[in-house]
Amino acid sequence: MRLGVLDIGSNTVHLLLVDAHPGARPVPYADHKRSLPLIQFLDEDGAIGAEGQDELIGFIRECCDFAEEHEAEDMIAFCTSAIREAANGAEVLARVREETSVHLAELSGDQEAAMTYFAVRRWHGWGVGSILNFDIGGGSFEIAYGEDELPTHAQSLPLGAGRLTRDRLPEDPPSPKSVKKLRKHIEARLEEAYAQFPAIKGPLCVTATSKTFRSLARLTGAAPSAAGPFVRRTLRADDLQLWVNRLAAMPAEDRAELPGVSEVRAPQVLAGAMVALAAMRTFGVAELTICPWALREGLILNRLDALMLEGHLTADGRPGVGHVNLNPDALLPGLVQEDR
């Protein structure tokens, strides 16, 4: 079965097509994406302007054509903090649905954290023990922890790399004063989050997802993405500390020349590195492992589970009797397990 997942993020709009069936690893088939930092289209009231909406709708139409051209049988479409926190988010969602017929499920921060954790658990399996996962997006930072398939604790903080860069690092390169103030802000928010965390039980596997963490791992010596998803990639806090100091002294133009850092993400990689380092220090993590699966894969796996449970797919991935395109909102409630 060919599935599509359309991800409206803070920095990028990304359609991923995979071939998958229940019990098998989803295999990427094709993707279609473009840089679209919706945060740059916010007006002074925090609303996404007409130009940003037009860009978004135009690309969603492209994605629908791409999915149809490649014979996708089902598609999940969702958005995260960029639209969730916009002053006119509901109006944007309504316009998207009216003009493209695409229903964008609006994930909460906790749902985003939980589904990302779900993907990490499926990738690593049960043998790693408990999992603590970090994920840095453009608008928010997600933390999730648990011992089972779904997390017992999932939390979203307004510490996205794009948000912090826009609001707190206006200079290029940033002034030492701005960097110091941002560090204190990040540390304070993370200390609050840590105080709400349950006791973490061992053995523990600490993981990280998102483009930001992959870029930081590449900066500190991890294999490039071309080496494939099965190469083990790690990030050490001590190595990251050195790079935080280096990035703080560089203009965005120079950061874009670094391995793993794109021109689009170069301005915000410092803020992302500062959040990553503060999270590792706060939680006492000396080293973490980069997981190649994240939110998109979590939603795909969850969709397959739901289709199988409802009898819409047979074990070999073929549509069963009564196959339907499920409303993505129906798959989202109750993602986080109750604390025991």
Side-chain angles (χ1 to χ4, degrees), residues 110-119 150 294-295 298-299 302 332 335:
D110 290 352
Q111 289 173 332
E112 196 176 338
M115 274 290 92
T116 302
Y117 170 97
F118 177 65
L150 292 175
L295 179 58
L299 289 169
N302 193 45
L332 299 177
L335 294 178

Side-chain angles (χ1 to χ4, degrees), residues 263-282:
E263 183 178 353
V264 171
R265 294 179 182 268
Q268 65 187 49
V269 68
L270 170 60
M274 292 174 69
V275 172
L277 179 61
M280 294 178 77
R281 298 297 194 204
T282 300

Side-chain angles (χ1 to χ4, degrees), residues 25-66:
R25 173 176 60 91
V27 177
Y29 172 78
D31 69 353
H32 188 53
K33 62 183 177 179
R34 64 162 287 192
S35 172
L36 184 60
L38 289 174
I39 202 167
Q40 295 181 5
F41 293 97
L42 295 179
D43 61 24
E44 59 184 14
D45 297 320
I48 299 173
E51 181 182 358
Q53 294 181 44
D54 291 344
E55 292 280 345
L56 175 63
I57 289 170
F59 193 71
I60 289 176
R61 288 196 180 107
E62 285 185 30
C63 288
C64 291
D65 292 341
F66 186 87

Side-chain angles (χ1 to χ4, degrees), residues 1-314:
M1 180 180 187
R2 183 157 299 153
L3 293 174
V5 55
L6 177 60
D7 175 359
I8 311 299
S10 297
N11 293 306
T12 306
V13 181
H14 188 173
L15 171 65
L16 173 66
L17 301 182
V18 301
D19 288 332
H21 63 269
R25 173 176 60 91
V27 177
Y29 172 78
D31 69 353
H32 188 53
K33 62 183 177 179
R34 64 162 287 192
S35 172
L36 184 60
L38 289 174
I39 202 167
Q40 295 181 5
F41 293 97
L42 295 179
D43 61 24
E44 59 184 14
D45 297 320
I48 299 173
E51 181 182 358
Q53 294 181 44
D54 291 344
E55 292 280 345
L56 175 63
I57 289 170
F59 193 71
I60 289 176
R61 288 196 180 107
E62 285 185 30
C63 288
C64 291
D65 292 341
F66 186 87
E68 183 176 0
E69 176 187 351
H70 292 283
E71 301 180 336
E73 299 172 59
D74 194 11
M75 187 167 77
I76 308 161
F78 70 93
C79 61
T80 54
S81 64
I83 294 179
R84 181 174 68 228
E85 298 175 6
N88 61 339
E91 289 84 354
V92 173
L93 293 177
R95 185 182 169 197
V96 167
R97 191 165 189 175
E98 179 181 353
E99 298 188 24
T100 69
S101 298
V102 171
H103 174 90
L104 285 177
E106 185 178 345
L107 298 188
S108 70
D110 290 352
Q111 289 173 332
E112 196 176 338
M115 274 290 92
T116 302
Y117 170 97
F118 177 65
V120 174
R121 172 59 77 187
R122 286 286 179 92
W123 178 270
H124 285 285
W126 299 107
V128 298
S130 302
I131 289 176
L132 173 65
N133 187 69
F134 300 138
D135 185 284
I136 300 173
S140 58
F141 171 55
E142 277 71 47
I143 313 170
Y145 166 76
E147 301 172 63
D148 299 319
E149 188 162 66
L150 292 175
T152 54
H153 190 89
Q155 193 170 5
S156 180
L157 304 174
L159 296 177
R163 178 201 297 270
L164 295 178
T165 301
R166 179 196 64 185
D167 295 346
R168 296 179 179 270
L169 295 178
E171 309 101 336
D172 181 27
S175 68
K177 182 178 179 181
S178 294
V179 172
K180 183 178 180 180
K181 288 178 66 176
L182 176 56
R183 185 180 70 251
K184 290 184 175 180
H185 170 72
I186 293 169
E187 290 174 350
R189 293 304 303 262
L190 284 169
E191 288 292 345
E192 292 174 4
Y194 184 72
Q196 299 174 25
F197 248 74
I200 294 177
K201 301 176 183 179
L204 176 68
C205 177
V206 184
T207 58
T209 48
S210 73
K211 176 63 175 175
T212 295
F213 272 108
R214 293 196 301 272
S215 295
L216 296 175
R218 180 75 183 102
L219 273 181
T220 60
S225 58
F230 299 108
V231 175
R232 186 169 185 265
R233 296 171 174 86
T234 61
L235 178 63
R236 296 178 65 250
D238 288 347
D239 294 337
L240 185 54
Q241 177 70 73
L242 295 174
W243 273 102
V244 166
N245 296 336
R246 293 171 185 170
L247 292 169
M250 291 182 181
E253 182 179 8
D254 291 346
R255 295 178 201 158
E257 300 298 321
L258 298 170
V261 181
S262 67
E263 183 178 353
V264 171
R265 294 179 182 268
Q268 65 187 49
V269 68
L270 170 60
M274 292 174 69
V275 172
L277 179 61
M280 294 178 77
R281 298 297 194 204
T282 300
F283 283 81
V285 176
E287 182 178 272
L288 53 75
T289 300
I290 306 299
C291 180
W293 279 2
L295 179 58
R296 285 187 291 270
E297 289 78 10
L299 289 169
I300 288 169
L301 293 165
N302 193 45
R303 168 59 64 90
L304 290 170
D305 286 355
L307 289 171
M308 188 72 172
L309 183 66
E310 296 296 327
H312 299 307
L313 285 182
T314 62

